Amino acid sequence: MINDNELFDIIGKNVKYYRQLYNLNHEKLTQEMLAEKINVSTALIGNLESNKINQGISVPTLYRLSQALETPIDNFFKLPAKYQKK
Protein backbone atom coordinates (compact mmCIF):
# COMPACT_ATOMS: atom_id res chain seq x y z
CA MET A 1 0.00 0.00 0.00
CA ILE A 2 1.28 3.48 -0.82
CA ASN A 3 1.38 6.33 1.67
CA ASP A 4 -0.30 9.72 1.29
CA ASN A 5 2.83 11.49 0.03
CA GLU A 6 3.33 8.88 -2.68
CA LEU A 7 -0.31 9.19 -3.71
CA PHE A 8 -0.07 12.99 -3.92
CA ASP A 9 3.09 12.59 -6.02
CA ILE A 10 1.35 10.20 -8.44
CA ILE A 11 -1.69 12.47 -8.78
CA GLY A 12 0.52 15.52 -9.34
CA LYS A 13 2.59 13.80 -12.00
CA ASN A 14 -0.61 12.75 -13.72
CA VAL A 15 -2.04 16.27 -13.67
CA LYS A 16 1.10 17.47 -15.44
CA TYR A 17 1.17 14.48 -17.81
CA TYR A 18 -2.47 14.74 -18.85
CA ARG A 19 -2.29 18.53 -19.23
CA GLN A 20 0.71 18.09 -21.56
CA LEU A 21 -1.09 15.31 -23.42
CA TYR A 22 -4.13 17.56 -23.75
CA ASN A 23 -1.87 20.25 -25.22
CA LEU A 24 -0.73 17.86 -27.96
CA ASN A 25 -4.30 17.24 -29.12
CA HIS A 26 -6.02 20.57 -28.39
CA GLU A 27 -5.25 24.23 -27.94
CA LYS A 28 -2.55 25.03 -25.39
CA LEU A 29 -3.84 24.82 -21.83
CA THR A 30 -1.56 26.58 -19.34
CA GLN A 31 -1.67 26.06 -15.60
CA GLU A 32 -3.46 29.39 -15.31
CA MET A 33 -6.04 28.47 -17.94
CA LEU A 34 -6.67 25.08 -16.35
CA ALA A 35 -7.07 26.65 -12.91
CA GLU A 36 -9.58 29.13 -14.26
CA LYS A 37 -11.46 26.41 -16.13
CA ILE A 38 -11.98 24.31 -12.99
CA ASN A 39 -12.32 27.25 -10.59
CA VAL A 40 -9.21 26.75 -8.44
CA SER A 41 -6.09 28.82 -7.86
CA THR A 42 -3.14 28.70 -10.21
CA ALA A 43 -1.03 27.92 -7.14
CA LEU A 44 -2.97 24.68 -6.63
CA ILE A 45 -2.22 23.48 -10.17
CA GLY A 46 1.42 24.54 -9.80
CA ASN A 47 1.73 22.77 -6.46
CA LEU A 48 0.13 19.61 -7.84
CA GLU A 49 2.51 19.55 -10.80
CA SER A 50 5.58 20.31 -8.67
CA ASN A 51 7.51 17.33 -7.42
CA LYS A 52 8.74 19.44 -4.49
CA ILE A 53 5.35 20.06 -2.85
CA ASN A 54 2.85 17.41 -1.79
CA GLN A 55 -0.50 19.07 -2.29
CA GLY A 56 -3.74 17.36 -1.31
CA ILE A 57 -6.74 17.59 -3.60
CA SER A 58 -10.47 17.17 -3.05
CA VAL A 59 -12.53 14.62 -4.93
CA PRO A 60 -14.69 17.32 -6.61
CA THR A 61 -11.55 19.12 -7.82
CA LEU A 62 -10.06 15.88 -9.10
CA TYR A 63 -13.33 15.19 -10.93
CA ARG A 64 -13.28 18.64 -12.55
CA LEU A 65 -9.65 18.06 -13.58
CA SER A 66 -10.59 14.76 -15.21
CA GLN A 67 -13.40 16.47 -17.12
CA ALA A 68 -11.25 19.41 -18.21
CA LEU A 69 -8.39 17.16 -19.33
CA GLU A 70 -10.75 14.64 -20.92
CA THR A 71 -9.36 11.64 -19.06
CA PRO A 72 -11.05 9.16 -16.72
CA ILE A 73 -10.58 10.05 -13.06
CA ASP A 74 -8.98 6.69 -12.28
CA ASN A 75 -6.08 7.57 -14.60
CA PHE A 76 -4.88 10.06 -11.97
CA PHE A 77 -4.11 7.15 -9.63
CA LYS A 78 -1.94 5.23 -12.13
CA LEU A 79 1.65 6.23 -12.60
CA PRO A 80 2.33 6.98 -16.30
CA ALA A 81 4.90 4.68 -17.91
CA LYS A 82 7.37 7.54 -18.35
CA TYR A 83 7.64 7.84 -14.54
CA GLN A 84 7.83 4.12 -13.72
CA LYS A 85 11.16 2.72 -12.59
CA LYS A 86 12.76 0.29 -14.99
Side-chain angles (χ1 to χ4, degrees):
M1 181 173 262
I2 63 172
N3 66 41
D4 290 353
N5 287 338
E6 291 169 325
L7 181 59
F8 296 147
D9 185 54
I10 290 169
I11 291 171
K13 285 178 178 170
N14 278 312
V15 170
K16 185 174 185 175
Y17 175 78
Y18 286 108
R19 185 175 63 81
Q20 290 172 341
L21 189 62
Y22 182 93
N23 286 342
L24 293 175
N25 300 309
H26 300 83
E27 75 282 356
K28 183 174 170 87
L29 186 64
T30 65
Q31 289 181 349
E32 293 83 4
M33 294 165 69
L34 178 58
E36 185 175 307
K37 190 172 188 175
I38 66 168
N39 198 30
V40 298
S41 69
T42 302
L44 174 67
I45 303 299
N47 288 346
L48 287 169
E49 290 189 5
S50 171
N51 61 354
K52 297 176 184 161
I53 300 172
N54 284 325
Q55 172 75 50
I57 184 170
S58 70
V59 172
T61 300
L62 191 56
Y63 174 77
R64 290 192 307 269
L65 274 169
S66 75
Q67 296 299 298
L69 298 176
E70 299 176 359
T71 190
I73 196 168
D74 61 317
N75 284 356
F76 289 98
F77 300 102
K78 302 172 188 170
L79 194 58
K82 76 181 228 175
Y83 293 112
Q84 292 179 8
K85 294 178 183 174
K86 296 178 182 177

